[in-house]
């Protein structure tokens, strides 16, 4: 089992923590991680963009000028793509951009992403992280003590004070155990997790 230092809110080492082999020491499968990131980004797209083709733009029924004799180029409609106010060539239409991955691939991708954080020494385990009231300033101080300016922080879903303390900090994102995804794990430099959440991650994704 990989063993990492466990820190307190002051950034001091207070012990050791053993991570689950099945989740945090998994073989890193880069192609599957890439597929998971592509799928995540594709699934964020709404696919609602729509532009009219020349067949859908109103007007343009009459030939704008004679075919010959004017010295100008021949034109058949004022709604052709080259005209101002004309239709769009290969106009984008509403479509579904979603990409599906099977459950085994998703699980392998997540384990690979978490294992890469351990391999790169970019995982920080905290003994506890709780606030009596939402206080962004206190959270900024904690992150400064941990030297984590760009981080994904995994917190309990019911910990409202911590979630509210994080949400206005630029470069930092909070996520519950059941909402973490491969893209966020890779995007943020540090992966910060309390020991309780680390146990729950091992329980859910092992």
């Amino acid at each position: 089992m990989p063993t990492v230092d466990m820190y307190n809110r002051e950034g001091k080492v207070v012990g050791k923590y053993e991570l689950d082999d099945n989740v945090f020491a998994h073989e890193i499968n880069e192609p599957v991680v890439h597929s998971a990131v592509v799928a995540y980004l594709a699934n964020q797209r709404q696919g609602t963009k729509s532009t009219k083709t020349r067949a859908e733009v109103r007007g343009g029924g009459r030939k704008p000028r004679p075919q010959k004799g004017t010295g100008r180029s021949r034109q058949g409609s004022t709604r052709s793509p080259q005209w101002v106010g004309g239709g769009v060539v290969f106009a984008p239409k509403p479509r579904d951009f979603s990409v599906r991955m099977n459950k085994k691939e998703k699980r392998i991708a997540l384990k690979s992403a978490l294992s890469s954080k351990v391999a790169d020494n970019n995982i920080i385990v905290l003994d506890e992280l709780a606030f009596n009231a939402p206080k962004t300033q206190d959270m900024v101080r904690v992150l400064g003590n941990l030297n984590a300016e760009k981080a994904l922080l995994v917190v309990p879903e019911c910990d409202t004070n911590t979630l509210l303390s994080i949400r206005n900090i630029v470069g930092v994102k909070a996520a519950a155990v059941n909402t973490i995804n491969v893209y966020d794990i890779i995007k943020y430099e540090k992966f910060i997790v309390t020991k309780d959440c680390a146990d729950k991650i091992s329980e859910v994704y092992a």
Side-chain angles (χ1 to χ4, degrees), residues 78-159:
T78 57
R79 295 298 178 258
S80 296
Q82 70 269 23
W83 284 69
V84 174
V88 177
V89 181
F90 305 127
K93 294 296 179 184
R95 53 172 288 197
D96 182 12
F97 286 97
S98 62
V99 177
R100 294 188 61 185
M101 288 185 69
N102 63 50
K103 290 182 179 180
K104 285 185 178 181
E105 284 181 316
K106 288 180 182 178
R107 194 173 289 267
I108 291 172
L110 191 69
K111 290 180 180 180
S112 296
L114 292 171
S115 299
S116 70
K117 288 298 178 184
V118 176
D120 296 337
N121 200 25
N122 281 329
I123 187 171
I124 299 174
V125 178
L126 294 174
D127 58 349
E128 59 88 25
L129 182 66
F131 295 91
N132 296 325
K135 198 70 176 177
T136 303
Q137 203 170 24
D138 291 346
M139 179 59 73
V140 171
R141 191 176 298 112
V142 171
L143 293 171
N145 293 337
L146 297 172
N147 193 24
E149 296 180 355
K150 188 177 180 183
L152 176 65
L153 186 56
V154 182
V155 297
E157 193 173 0
C158 59
D159 192 353

Side-chain angles (χ1 to χ4, degrees), residues 9 11 22 26 35 39 50 54 61-62 81 95 100 103 108 123 133 161 178 183 188 190 204:
R9 291 171 52 170
N22 293 328
H26 194 274
S35 297
S50 181
R54 61 180 295 175
R62 180 175 64 88
R95 53 172 288 197
R100 294 188 61 185
K103 290 182 179 180
I108 291 172
I123 187 171
N161 290 335
N178 59 345
Y183 176 74
Y188 294 93
K190 298 291 184 180
V204 173

Side-chain angles (χ1 to χ4, degrees), residues 180-196:
I180 58 176
N181 60 77
V182 176
Y183 176 74
D184 284 339
I185 294 172
I186 294 175
K187 176 182 176 181
Y188 294 93
E189 181 183 358
K190 298 291 184 180
F191 183 79
I192 304 174
V193 60
T194 61
K195 62 178 182 180
D196 292 336

